[in-house]
Amino acid sequence: MNKEAMKAPEELTTAEAKAELKRLAKEIAHHDKLYYQKDAPEISDAEYDALVRRNRAIEGLFPSLIRSDSPTTRVGAEPAAGFGKVKHLHPMLSLDNAFDREDVADFIGRIRRFLGRKDDGEIELNVEPKIDGLSANLRYEDGTLTIGATRGDGAVGEDITANLKHVAGIPHKLKDPHPPKLIEIRGEVYFPHDAFFTLNKEREKAGEPVFANPRNAAAGSVRQLDPNITRSRPLKFFAYAMGATEGWRNEPKLHSEAIEQLRTWGFAVNPEICVAKTLDDALEFYDEMTKKRADLNYDIDGVVYKVNNIAMQNRLGFVGRAPRWAIAHKFPAEQAVTTLNAIAIQVGRTGALTPVAKLEPITVGGVVVSNATLHNEDEIERKDVRIGDKVIVQRAGDVIPQIVGVVDADRKNRGPKYKFPDRCPVCGSHAVREEGEAVRRCTGGLICPAQAMETLRHFVSRGAFDIEGLGSKHIESFYTDGLIKTPVDIFKLHHRRGELEEREGWGKSSVSNLLNAIEARRTVPLDRFIYALGIRQVGEVTAKLLARHYHTLKDWRHAMLAATKDRETPEYQDLVNIDQIGESVANDILDFFDEKPNVEVLDALAKEVTVDEVQAPRAADSPVAGKTVVFTGALSKMTRDEAKARAELLGAKVASSVSKKTDYVIVGEDAGSKAAKAQELGVKMLSEDAWLELIGG
Ligand code: IVH
């Protein structure tokens, strides 16, 4: 180091400062390159931080000397744009929750039934704390970390590789002479408690906003465009799962072995993880963790039980977004008492009136809560919640806070009983409650601004058209000003470019960005299109089932319109016969098609966008792809559920009853009327073994 570099920043002359900034820019860029691109840092994090701090200090004293390539404006060795997107090789799934011992016993029961285990043999579980942080997916190619991403929507996350390289517990290279060709490692990034408190103290002193909890601090630190900020935060990581793998010699047979492997590769692995031989052992682990929780230096919100045998995990597979072979046993909720200031009524996409408690803000388990759900009319009645009452507020994990009950119901001068409105607070239409329904709904349909806006919000949301840059606030103001009334108008916005550019807060480039984002979505697959329509009970999973069954928008539309005519039509029978659809969902779909304005919107949309055909997965390489099959009678090699799940995985459609459209009926023992029907209709029948042979074992 030269002499100037040793001087304190305040002692430097202007010329010296200039030279010093030049030298620092070069030196920091050099270390960035070693760190980010070569994975071969020459100096410690502390030494690097000292260089950055010195650079900042000099820039603070001589702002006119800040260089265009200053390390404080340049971001590591990465481009300073937003985050790139990364498609996970295997989707990142979530976990179902269990809230008590019975739920856990049910979980084991479901596994036994699915696998057809009639014996009393225990199912070995791997038990782990559930870390309350931010999940990350790390891709290693030939043992080197190449991509690190956030979970995102489970399919696509944000590329935060540069940031994750600063997180302790994530090796840049796997310690293994023969690493897999490719492997995805999953785990949780978290903010240790002690560091969290220190950080918040510092932020408070500096007049900066504090983080609500360690989880937000972790998310805020990792989702930073400047990796130097991530670097300055002592984030940590626990690895707990693997995703896609390729070319791996020693694939583990047990999850506990996989955990051991992660440890030897150099990942931080949670020290509490262990194997539970029995359900009782697993529940004992839960009790232990409940006690230990307060002493840990990281947040946990429950424990996770995973079937230890990986072959068994593979047989169990997934339902929707969660594995059948794992569950999160959550800790009970945290509670606090506060005043109920008001009850607001929100109107949702389907017109449901939902009461929301407006509370005197209070901290519940480290998070400030000022709203809580009251569910519905009956709930308010049952709990007799009145404005002005002191109420117990409860929060569990990510769940919306709830009102448990009133604590001062006996006080004098208590307010009047709450009367639920029978008109929509937004459009004034009647709000009615159908016989047997818990919710009251606004009857205004699309004339109700609340419903129209919620429909639009749903339409542009992630799982639907996923239009970036058309946030909730924009929808509201565009709707109010008449720019967008129905989803179709979104695709006509480009005709109103001039008008948009005139709007406050908008300019040429932001309007261009928005219009480009819309153009990018002019082609969608059928499942997203169906989901985007916002039909009651048609979530992403059901939309996929429909798309895989009908393949094209034309065929789906045609079949639905035919089915609305009469419940005896083959189209109706075909719809309710799709496994997992059933009458209630079918009726909601048909109610949608029964409303002319809905069909008009659908048709107008179809003119604006191209809807891609959807095929069943793996259609090409499976002999049963696209075939409709029905299982009947008792199977001996696997349960009905497992057989169904496997058939679906191979692209077959599993139906619940036999019709002319059925390709195969798989006949188990003691098959009854379905086998007879197959015989009558001349549908091909297969024994269980013949079926297994057909699908390859
Ligand atoms: S396993 C397919 N193990 O919890 C199962 N997840 O609610 C993949 N999480 O998205 C998850 N600790 O972010 C697993 N020991 C643990 C976990 C854990 C925390 C998170 C993870 C997941 C979420 C599901």
Side-chain angles (χ1 to χ4, degrees), residues 556-566 590 593-594 599 603:
W556 180 58
R557 178 188 181 280
H558 176 82
M560 295 305 99
L561 286 174
T564 51
K565 296 215 176 73
D566 182 345
L590 299 182
F593 276 88
D594 254 337
V599 182
D603 289 341

Side-chain angles (χ1 to χ4, degrees), residues 491-677:
F491 292 98
K492 294 188 167 158
L493 267 185
H494 60 284
H495 296 307
R496 308 178 79 162
R497 185 184 279 267
E499 230 172 301
L500 287 171
E501 285 173 357
E502 295 293 298
R503 292 178 72 84
E504 209 187 305
W506 290 81
K508 272 197 172 9
S509 81
S510 52
V511 170
S512 278
N513 287 345
L514 173 62
L515 295 177
N516 288 342
I518 294 171
E519 287 315 305
R521 293 290 183 267
R522 241 181 233 279
T523 306
V524 275
L526 179 61
D527 55 333
R528 280 181 178 255
F529 183 91
I530 295 176
Y531 173 66
L533 296 174
I535 302 170
R536 232 187 264 175
Q537 293 201 75
V538 179
E540 287 176 80
V541 173
T542 306
K544 268 211 167 68
L545 289 173
L546 290 166
R548 284 177 186 171
H549 189 82
Y550 294 98
H551 309 305
T552 66
L553 175 59
K554 193 167 149 256
D555 286 355
W556 180 58
R557 178 188 181 280
H558 176 82
M560 295 305 99
L561 286 174
T564 51
K565 296 215 176 73
D566 182 345
R567 312 272 124 140
E568 296 303 316
T569 54
E571 284 83 359
Y572 182 80
Q573 292 306 321
D574 190 39
L575 174 63
V576 289
N577 205 15
I578 301 174
D579 201 48
Q580 296 173 50
I581 290 224
E583 282 194 15
S584 156
V585 178
N587 291 342
D588 277 340
I589 300 173
L590 299 182
D591 283 349
F592 176 90
F593 276 88
D594 254 337
E595 295 288 327
K596 227 169 156 214
N598 288 338
V599 182
E600 282 163 10
V601 168
L602 186 150
D603 289 341
L605 256 177
K607 290 211 177 84
E608 292 293 334
V609 303
T610 309
V611 182
D612 275 347
E613 196 176 315
V614 168
Q615 287 302 341
R618 296 233 239 146
D621 58 2
S622 144
V624 296
K627 303 273 191 238
T628 302
V629 303
V630 173
F631 290 96
T632 181
L635 304 175
S636 64
K637 304 249 160 68
M638 59 179 87
T639 61
R640 185 82 72 82
D641 282 342
E642 186 178 1
K644 264 189 188 174
R646 269 182 77 181
E648 277 165 356
L649 214 59
L650 293 167
K653 295 179 210 165
V654 180
S656 44
S657 65
V658 180
S659 76
K660 273 186 289 182
K661 287 197 173 167
T662 312
D663 293 292
Y664 299 115
V665 174
I666 294 91
V667 188
E669 238 168 86
D670 297 328
S673 63
K674 288 183 194 173
K677 183 98 189 266

